[in-house]
Amino acid sequence: MKKYIISLTDQEREQLHRMLSAGKAASRKLTRARIMLKADRNGPAPEWTDEAISRALDVTPRTVANVRQTFVEEGWEVALSGHSTRNHRLRKIDGECEAHLIALLCQPAPRGHARWTLRLLADRLVKLEQVDLDSVSHETVRQTLRTNELKPWQQEEWCIPPDKNGEFVSRMEDVLDVYTQPDDSRYPRVCIDELTKQLVSETRVPLPLEPGHPRRYDYEYERHGTCNIYLIFAPFRGRRWVKVTDHRGYQDWAYLMRELVDVYFPEAECITVVVDNLNVHVAGALYETFEPAEAKRILSKLDLHYTPKHGSWLNMAEIELRVLNGQCLDRRMGTVRWVEREVTAWVAERNAAHATVDWRFTTADARIKLKRLYPVPQPDRVVPALTVHHTCAKLGATEAAARARQRAQKRTRAKHASYSLEK
């Protein structure tokens, strides 16, 4: 007479049949399910012997006996799935202690420290009497934080625009409208931006690659000042031009604008230029560099559109500058000529590939995703005539600049409309 008898209930038997018909469980689990069904004394079919089960399922008789014993002593679930391989030791940091740990990370670091470290957190938990001194280490803290979904130590750096600011949204929609205009050879659209590159050289010759050693270089370097890199990017044509200058000033900007008009786009009637709010990106730089007639000639072919403050990400040239910095400039370069040579090679490769930017952010998207930036319209109210005259008499430079920008936009749209009628 067998010592260990398997007697399945109707529910257990049905669940085993369902698992076998699905066939999605582990093979070891499916084998145990077949053993229990064939060894079931209460089943519709007669009970099989251990030898018959071992021959049918290609297992040893000892395996069948172990399943019988486990079923009787530890239950149906353990006989089917086996013992868990997880470590069942008590956690050194329980749920309450983990909550205190996350709360610590949400607070500023102690004085004299830029950030929380694992050892600081472990010591603070001991001081708060949340854990024992001998039961927690920095490695225990690391493993606890790794498995927690909250990551309060992570930080993101981004440009925060002002809330409900009419000036911001007006300039933003102005730039986005520029990106949606049709491409026209007589009215090209370009984005211009610049970056400063620090010129540094090696003080010792780096050691080359060797078997068992990577390339090694000395942390010490020699600084040779800085240079400025202007980038003119025509995203809708896949073209870009780069100019390296010794410094950045009014005259450098003015000469760049003259090259844009006379060299890069000599046949254009008007060039739409998207720039940021740097203090040298102004029309006055042309008059401070050239004669009035020459400055007027250059300015008449330019339609400047400024990105809003805290919104320079709207300039596609920033995206291209990031690619330039990551692919070409992220290394030590000691001379301006070296920078020019490398940048020229990078520009030739990018232009040959017709690399561009797939810009998809539109005004409609901005009004949905950046709704918080749009001011709430005020209800209509009657303004006394005296107040109107007083306001008009005190128009500032900002309002005058806005009106000049609107007039330039109207001229550009009129030119586009006339060109479309001619076609």
Side-chain angles (χ1 to χ4, degrees), residues 336-350:
V336 176
R337 190 176 298 277
W338 187 357
V339 174
E340 287 180 344
R341 184 177 65 250
E342 296 297 321
V343 168
T344 301
W346 177 85
V347 169
E349 181 179 350
R350 294 281 289 180

Side-chain angles (χ1 to χ4, degrees), residues 142-325:
R142 185 192 68 81
Q143 293 178 1
T144 303
L145 295 178
R146 180 176 59 85
T147 57
N148 197 289
E149 294 182 1
L150 300 178
K151 312 292 182 184
W153 63 87
Q154 294 181 351
Q155 298 181 4
E156 292 183 358
E157 181 178 350
W158 62 297
C159 194
I160 305 176
D163 289 335
K164 294 182 173 38
N165 188 283
E167 181 67 18
F168 182 94
V169 298
S170 65
R171 292 197 177 189
M172 176 181 65
E173 292 196 355
D174 175 43
V175 173
L176 293 177
D177 289 343
V178 169
Y179 293 159
T180 57
Q181 292 176 4
D183 192 20
D184 190 342
S185 59
R186 296 195 301 174
Y187 304 97
R189 291 163 293 168
V190 299
C191 303
I192 299 179
D193 204 357
E194 63 276 305
L195 63 82
T196 300
K197 169 65 178 175
Q198 184 176 205
L199 301 175
V200 294
S201 62
E202 305 284 357
T203 57
R204 294 178 176 86
V205 179
L207 299 179
L209 288 171
E210 296 178 354
H213 292 283
R215 183 176 181 270
R216 290 162 290 174
Y217 62 94
D218 200 308
Y219 67 89
E220 183 181 350
Y221 60 87
E222 184 176 356
R223 191 172 185 273
H224 300 283
T226 60
C227 66
N228 182 65
I229 302 175
Y230 283 110
L231 174 68
I232 302 175
F233 182 39
F236 305 100
R237 303 186 179 190
R239 298 279 297 174
R240 74 267 306 135
W241 299 268
V242 175
K243 182 179 180 181
V244 182
T245 59
D246 293 332
H247 56 277
R248 179 178 60 191
Y250 282 109
Q251 291 187 351
D252 300 286
W253 170 257
Y255 286 122
L256 182 70
M257 291 298 99
R258 187 171 68 176
E259 290 185 16
L260 178 66
V261 171
D262 296 340
V263 178
Y264 303 135
F265 298 97
E267 305 298 332
E269 295 186 10
C270 184
I271 306 172
T272 302
V273 183
V274 177
V275 292
D276 57 20
N277 289 273
L278 192 65
N279 58 346
V280 298
H281 296 169
V282 292
L286 297 170
Y287 285 90
E288 293 193 9
T289 306
F290 306 117
E291 294 294 331
E294 178 67 5
K296 181 65 176 178
R297 180 189 70 84
I298 299 172
L299 191 60
S300 63
K301 290 191 174 184
L302 298 177
D303 182 16
L304 299 177
H305 295 260
Y306 293 93
T307 60
K309 294 181 179 179
H310 300 283
S312 58
W313 53 270
L314 289 163
N315 190 349
M316 291 193 201
E318 277 206 353
I319 302 175
E320 195 67 12
L321 280 178
R322 183 177 301 179
V323 178
L324 170 63
N325 190 53

